[in-house]
């Protein structure tokens, strides 16, 4: 694996690969890599000639400084995992390499409704920061395909919108959410859970399965109430949202109809850790 810290060196290398007609797959990450990331690298490998992974903990997407300070950094383990997975390139830039003119956005991205609901409502500014960094990374790497995980469903919608706004010539390929045997979705934040919190955290997945099983039998508000009970009884101390919405627009639904693409999404705190997960119904 070649590690590049500087944009100019990475671009020189990629330009010669592109001249040879090789396709580039890109997996952006903030490190603290887990099996979910590795499954995206594998997906990228089976769809590209060269795979670039980036590790950059983007300061502009954290609306809560405490969350940024506590974000796990495991760079040595990350490099070993990427090497073991035969990743071609790791891009490991500094903040000044990514934001040479400063971190302030000159003009906000016009993301519309998808920026203001669910994650957007609870983490103001988060999706502007995500758009800013992914826009910059796409300008640098110019990949044919961008690989993103379904766990961050709303993030995928936001990035798709940004790609359209900025006319990037990159296609998004979505990887399935990788789960532990218990159903808990792989996440870098799981590193911050104690063993008993990890056990309780399974309730998010169980809640999504409960919604899936009962979506045609109960009303949406009944499901939301019952799931809130399941989560509280399992030790979740605070719930940001239990949403059952249109999977194309994220607009709320009054009733379930099998002809409307529908998704359930949950965000809730176990101890100090905020977890998210979703299931397409
Ligand atoms: O999902 C993430 O890890 C981040 O939001 C991303 C896409 C790497 C941008 O910083």
């Amino acid at each position: 694996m070649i590690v590049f810290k500087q944009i100019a060196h990475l671009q020189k290398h990629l330009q010669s690969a592109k001249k040879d007609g090789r396709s580039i797959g890109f997996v952006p990450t903030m490190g603290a890599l887990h099996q979910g990331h590795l499954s995206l690298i594998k997906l990228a490998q089976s769809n590209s000639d060269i795979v670039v992974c980036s590790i950059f903990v983007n300061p502009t997407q954290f609306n809560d400084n405490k969350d940024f300070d506590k974000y796990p950094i495991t760079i040595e383990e990350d490099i070993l995992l990427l090497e073991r997975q035969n990743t071609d390139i790791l891009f490991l830039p500094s903040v000044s390499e990514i934001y040479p003119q400063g971190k302030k956005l000159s003009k906000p991205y016009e993301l519309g409704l998808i920026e203001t609901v669910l994650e957007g409502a609870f983490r103001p500014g988060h999706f502007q920061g995500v758009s800013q960094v992914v826009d910059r990374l796409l300008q640098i790497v110019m990949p044919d395909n961008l690989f993103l995980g379904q766990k961050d469903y709303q993030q995928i919608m936001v990035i798709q919108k940004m790609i359209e706004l900025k006319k990037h010539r990159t296609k998004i390929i979505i990887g399935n959410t990788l789960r532990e045997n218990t159903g808990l979705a792989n996440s870098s934040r799981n590193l911050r859970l104690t063993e008993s919190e990890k056990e309780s955290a399974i309730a998010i997945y169980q809640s999504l399965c409960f919604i899936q099983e009962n979506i045609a039998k109960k009303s949406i508000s009944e499901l939301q109430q019952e799931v809130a009970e399941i989560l509280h009884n399992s030790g979740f101390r605070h719930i940001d949202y239990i949403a059952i919405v249109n999977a194309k627009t994220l607009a709320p639904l009054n009733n379930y109809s099998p002809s409307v693409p529908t998704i359930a999404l949950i965000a809730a705190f176990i101890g100090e850790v905020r977890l998210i997960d979703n299931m397409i119904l």
Side-chain angles (χ1 to χ4, degrees), residues 10 92 108 111 124 126 135 139 144 157 175 177 185 192 219 222 247 251 258:
L10 171 71
L92 195 58
L111 301 168
H126 169 63
D135 186 10
Q139 281 164 22
D144 298 278
M157 293 179 78
T177 302
R192 289 171 52 200
S219 72
E222 266 176 320

Side-chain angles (χ1 to χ4, degrees), residues 28-30 56 58 61 130 133-134 148 152 155 159:
T29 81
M30 298 207 297
F56 178 67
N58 173 35
Q61 70 185 75
V130 169
V133 75
V134 178
L148 298 169
D152 295 303
Q155 169 169 278
I159 293 175

Side-chain angles (χ1 to χ4, degrees), residues 8 13 15 28 63 71 86 123 179 187 233 252 255 269 278:
H13 182 90
Q15 262 156 23
N63 54 311
Y71 202 83
N86 297 319
R123 304 179 67 189
R179 300 183 180 280
S187 163
N233 293 341
N255 305 298
F269 284 84
N278 64 73

Side-chain angles (χ1 to χ4, degrees), residues 13-221:
H13 182 90
L14 291 178
Q15 262 156 23
S16 74
K18 279 180 197 161
K19 259 194 216 138
D20 297 344
R22 287 191 277 167
S23 64
I24 298 184
F26 179 43
V27 182
T29 81
M30 298 207 297
L33 301 183
H34 50 68
Q35 291 305 318
H37 293 114
L38 296 182
S39 75
L40 280 180
I41 300 270
K42 283 183 210 159
L43 185 64
Q45 284 170 329
S46 57
N47 284 278
S48 339
D49 297 317
I50 295 186
V51 173
V52 181
C53 172
S54 64
I55 296 182
F56 178 67
V57 185
N58 173 35
T60 70
Q61 70 185 75
F62 288 85
N63 54 311
D64 177 354
N65 286 340
K66 273 193 280 162
D67 210 20
F68 178 58
D69 293 340
K70 286 191 193 148
Y71 202 83
I73 310 278
T74 57
I75 194 69
E76 273 151 37
E77 291 92 328
D78 292 350
I79 290 178
L80 277 179
L81 286 173
L82 290 173
E83 271 175 345
R84 237 180 267 149
Q85 189 50 50
N86 297 319
T87 312
D88 301 298
I89 293 171
L90 168 61
F91 179 42
L92 195 58
S94 63
V95 173
S96 59
E97 193 72 2
I98 292 293
Y99 300 124
Q101 328 276 20
K103 291 179 278 185
K104 204 168 176 308
L105 256 183
S106 51
K107 186 168 159 269
Y109 296 85
E110 288 178 17
L111 301 168
L113 174 83
I114 48 168
E115 176 187 22
T116 59
V117 296
L118 306 173
E119 287 302 284
F122 288 93
R123 304 179 67 189
H126 169 63
F127 285 131
Q128 288 293 325
V130 169
S131 300
Q132 180 187 20
V133 75
V134 178
D135 186 10
R136 178 85 176 115
L137 289 167
L138 292 182
Q139 281 164 22
I140 296 167
V141 180
M142 290 190 281
D144 298 278
N145 292 313
L146 171 67
F147 294 83
L148 298 169
Q150 200 207 299
K151 190 172 81 66
D152 295 303
Y153 186 85
Q154 192 175 359
Q155 169 169 278
I156 299 174
M157 293 179 78
V158 163
I159 293 175
Q160 180 59 52
K161 178 83 188 180
M162 180 280 292
I163 285 178
E164 285 159 23
L165 289 172
K166 299 304 294 280
K167 300 189 169 50
H168 285 290
R169 291 204 278 169
T170 294
K171 201 176 126 221
I172 294 181
I173 298 187
I174 302 173
N176 292 335
T177 302
L178 214 81
R179 300 183 180 280
E180 298 193 357
N181 291 339
T182 57
L184 178 65
N186 280 174
S187 163
S188 305
R189 288 166 192 256
N190 295 354
L191 287 176
R192 289 171 52 200
L193 297 174
T194 63
E195 273 314 304
S196 80
E197 285 172 341
K198 227 174 150 186
E199 253 173 56
S200 311
I202 303 163
I204 289 205
Y205 177 67
Q206 290 169 339
S207 299
L208 292 168
C209 293
F210 178 81
I211 295 173
Q212 169 91 290
E213 277 159 32
N214 292 288
I215 187 73
K217 299 181 208 148
K218 296 177 188 247
S219 72
I220 288 180
S221 59

